[in-house]
Amino acid sequence: MSIDLAPSLSDLAADAAAGLKEHFGSQASVIAAAPGRVNLIGEHIDYCDGFVMPFAIDRYIVMAAALNGSGEARVVTALGGEPAILPLNIPQQVTEPKWANYLRGVFQGFQERGHQLPGFDAYVLSSLPRGAGLSSSAALECCVATLLEGLLDTVLDTKEKALLCQKAEHDFAGVPCGIMDQFASCFGKVNRLILIDCMTGEPELVPFENPDLTVLIANTMVHHELSDGGYAARRKNTEDGLAILGKRSWREVVPGEVEAAWEQLGDPVDRRSRHVVGEIARTVAAAEALAKNDYEALGPLMAASHDSLRDDFEVSCKELDLMVEIARAIGRSGGVIGARMTGGGFGGSTVTLCESRKVEQIAATLAREYEEATGIKPQILASRPAQGAHLV
Ligand code: GLA
């Protein structure tokens, strides 16, 4: 069996409650869960007023908590970081341990909205691989925000919650991310893709329940840090491109305009701009195809998306390219409809849309050939669209 099965959410919740009991001696009063995401198409255009089409996956970060009557949050994690003691109701600051900055950023968002945070103890665990391009940081932010909703007995508007978490990522993790990951983690619904118009910030739920289709996620196990500058540099390239084109939004840029301004744009902004315009068009085409249940049309769109991310946007890497090449070689007759890198890139995962009846063979081939070529054992997941952040 090459496919790594997801533990059930109820098992994770029970383990989180047991972790809380073991470390703090208390019974959980609130348990929150928030999922990671995979993006089918629409990459690196959420910060360009584009469209993206992610879905929440059945891999979660889970936190169990109980009030502790103090002015602090004490948080123990099974994610491989130091325990954190976080003073509440003071201005939050970026400091050590680093992993807790995601929490501090979310605390600040609640404080800015006038909430007085109660002291609590919490235990965090996860079934979502880190550094796999599946948005574990957004999942942690959305999990903490949902936990605070439970502890405060309040419910934020879902969009406001996602934007609060995105701001935490900007201000406390230093990554100028778009809205895709936090929207996917907050708005996820079983059997629904989330088509987000990133200009209006409105998510639309698109049915995705055909049992003949399976989405495989292949984690290359090669890790990248988005905060190392590659992500911010790409974002800056797109801002420069838009300024040179003299437009306020990428949605105003019509096909052919980038090519006409190629010389002025200069390398690499010319190619970055071509990616943005092409990827917006591809994502619109994918949404139209899905509305007609024309899944086959996704194959060429996913292929063109990957090539553009590799050659024009330059956010792929040899391991991602290899995984996509293996899927391409399996081909349509082997059950592969489409494959591409997914997420921020520079490592992480690929997404492969497959015929369900051939998924075991496809996963086995991806795992075997990738390991033969790199010596690295990949992790292969299969996920249907899952429920977004919620109290368990
Ligand atoms: C990261 C960011 C998202 C998005 C993707 C690329 O996951 O957090 O906002 O830009 O990269 O599509």
Side-chain angles (χ1 to χ4, degrees):
M1 178 88 165
S2 310
I3 300 177
D4 184 303
L5 295 177
S8 77
L9 194 48
S10 51
D11 284 352
L12 288 172
D15 289 350
L20 183 76
K21 180 104 184 108
E22 184 191 327
H23 287 274
F24 299 101
S26 41
Q27 294 291 344
S29 59
V30 176
I31 300 180
R37 63 95 189 95
V38 67
N39 187 22
L40 266 195
I41 194 159
E43 213 66 82
H44 278 281
I45 52 171
D46 60 343
Y47 50 82
C48 298
D49 284 346
F51 292 91
V52 295
M53 214 192 286
F55 65 85
I57 59 176
D58 61 358
R59 298 280 169 155
Y60 288 90
I61 293 189
V62 177
M63 292 179 83
L67 296 175
N68 65 15
S70 79
E72 292 170 344
R74 302 183 299 195
V75 189
V76 170
T77 170
L79 312 182
E82 296 286 300
I85 296 182
L86 309 165
L88 300 164
N89 301 315
I90 56 156
Q92 298 295 326
Q93 281 175 4
V94 175
T95 172
E96 298 294 323
K98 242 173 132 179
W99 72 269
N101 286 326
Y102 299 106
L103 279 61
R104 296 184 183 99
V106 173
F107 293 168
Q108 171 148 310
F110 275 76
Q111 289 169 330
E112 282 168 0
R113 286 163 179 77
H115 291 288
Q116 188 79 6
L117 300 179
F120 65 92
D121 296 330
Y123 186 78
V124 195
L125 55 72
S126 172
S127 61
L128 177 64
R130 273 168 73 203
L134 302 175
S135 295
S136 56
S137 58
L140 181 54
E141 291 147 7
C142 298
C143 186
V144 177
T146 306
L147 187 84
L148 293 182
E149 287 180 315
L151 291 170
L152 291 164
D153 198 17
T154 187
V155 178
L156 300 185
D157 169 72
T158 309
K159 184 167 165 181
E160 185 184 359
K161 180 159 96 172
L163 293 173
L164 181 161
C165 291
Q166 180 200 25
K167 189 162 189 298
E169 179 93 28
H170 287 185
D171 297 347
F172 283 75
V175 180
C177 63
I179 62 174
M180 174 167 73
D181 304 349
Q182 292 80 8
F183 266 53
S185 187
C186 287
F187 282 102
K189 282 274 174 313
V190 172
N191 287 338
R192 295 289 181 270
L193 305 177
I194 308 158
L195 174 64
I196 309 167
D197 179 338
C198 302
M199 188 165 76
T200 61
E202 287 309 322
E204 184 193 330
L205 297 174
V206 177
F208 189 77
E209 43 200 343
N210 185 340
D212 299 338
L213 298 173
T214 298
V215 173
L216 279 185
I217 299 162
N219 177 4
T220 62
M221 312 301 278
V222 182
H223 181 66
H224 63 276
E225 278 292 337
L226 285 184
S227 47
D228 72 358
Y231 185 89
R234 294 304 180 282
R235 186 168 179 156
K236 173 82 171 51
N237 289 159
T238 65
E239 287 162 3
D240 291 349
L242 197 60
I244 296 168
L245 292 168
K247 297 286 163 90
R248 275 168 315 169
S249 167
W250 282 103
R251 295 278 274 282
E252 295 171 7
V253 182
V254 295
E257 250 177 303
V258 167
E259 287 72 10
W262 202 256
E263 296 297 313
Q264 286 146 270
L265 289 165
D267 189 59
V269 175
D270 46 11
R271 288 176 295 122
R272 306 288 190 257
S273 303
R274 180 164 63 189
H275 168 75
V276 172
V277 175
E279 189 75 357
I280 291 177
R282 283 186 287 274
T283 308
V284 171
E288 287 169 0
L290 279 173
K292 292 184 279 184
N293 280 323
D294 178 10
Y295 296 105
E296 298 296 336
L298 290 180
L301 294 169
M302 291 173 81
S305 170
H306 184 80
D307 292 352
S308 176
L309 289 158
R310 181 192 61 208
D311 301 334
D312 279 354
F313 219 66
E314 295 179 290
V315 290
S316 190
C317 62
K318 63 181 192 320
E319 293 85 358
L320 286 168
D321 292 342
L322 171 67
M323 196 68 91
V324 167
E325 285 310 322
I326 299 168
R328 284 181 182 175
I330 296 169
R332 190 64 196 84
S333 61
V336 170
I337 298 167
R340 53 182 288 279
M341 59 157 276
T342 189
F346 308 107
S349 300
T350 66
V351 56
T352 305
L353 184 62
C354 310
E355 278 180 69
S356 298
R357 64 196 174 97
K358 296 192 176 154
V359 76
E360 274 299 332
Q361 274 161 278
I362 295 169
T365 306
L366 291 177
R368 187 186 62 246
E369 295 193 7
Y370 182 80
E371 187 172 357
E372 272 167 18
T374 61
I376 304 168
K377 198 176 174 57
Q379 182 186 25
I380 316 271
L381 319 176
S383 181
R384 301 208 68 77
Q387 195 188 343
H390 61 284
L391 294 175
V392 183

